[in-house]
Amino acid sequence: MKRVSIIFWLITLGISGCKDKAENPLPLSSTGFEIFYIYPNPNNGFIMIGVNNESNQDYQLLLFDPEGVKIYSDAIPKKSKRDLAYNLKEKRAGNGIFTAILQTPTTTFTKKIIVE
């Protein structure tokens, strides 16, 4: 018997109208909002990252430049919703694919950020 794998792709439109495609969509919080979102993406170096932390533990948000150097690190307190603004070109990192990582007590979420 031949095995067939099916992968579902989720394409969403963010606030900026940019498409975001994820093979394994991030879980939604109990309020229906994504736990971790980035907009606009792609961008010119200025981004907003939203984090919806409904848990009883703190989260950690990390941003890395295209060479893998950590350029930002922020704590997201428990039971909070944050919209954080970052200027990626301020760190003289230039254009490329940046990485945003949200670490929770049980899971690590990763998203790519395209800076043109």
Side-chain angles (χ1 to χ4, degrees):
M1 180 179 250
K2 187 175 182 180
R3 233 189 248 186
V4 177
S5 296
I6 299 173
I7 297 175
F8 292 96
W9 292 90
L10 173 69
I11 298 178
T12 59
L13 290 179
I15 293 172
S16 67
C18 295
K19 289 182 182 177
D20 185 23
K21 181 170 74 171
E23 184 173 329
N24 297 313
L26 292 177
L28 298 179
S29 69
S30 62
T31 59
F33 292 104
E34 251 187 273
I35 291 172
F36 175 40
Y37 54 90
I38 299 170
Y39 58 93
N41 196 15
N43 62 74
N44 64 0
F46 183 78
I47 60 166
M48 297 291 291
I49 298 180
V51 179
N52 188 18
N53 182 356
E54 292 183 348
S55 79
N56 288 322
Q57 296 179 324
D58 294 343
Y59 291 176
Q60 185 71 28
L61 178 66
L62 307 167
L63 291 176
F64 296 88
D65 71 9
E67 295 178 1
V69 176
K70 182 169 55 173
I71 56 175
Y72 288 106
S73 176
D74 284 304
I76 310 299
K78 61 184 175 183
K79 300 288 184 185
S80 68
K81 183 173 191 262
R82 297 285 169 100
D83 287 314
L84 306 163
Y86 297 96
N87 183 350
L88 300 177
K89 289 192 175 181
E90 175 182 77
K91 297 291 185 174
R92 300 178 194 202
N95 298 343
I97 299 175
F98 289 68
T99 304
I101 297 176
L102 179 68
Q103 295 175 330
T104 73
T106 58
T107 308
T108 298
F109 299 103
T110 304
K111 285 198 173 197
K112 299 295 181 187
I113 304 165
I114 300 171
V115 178
E116 301 175 322

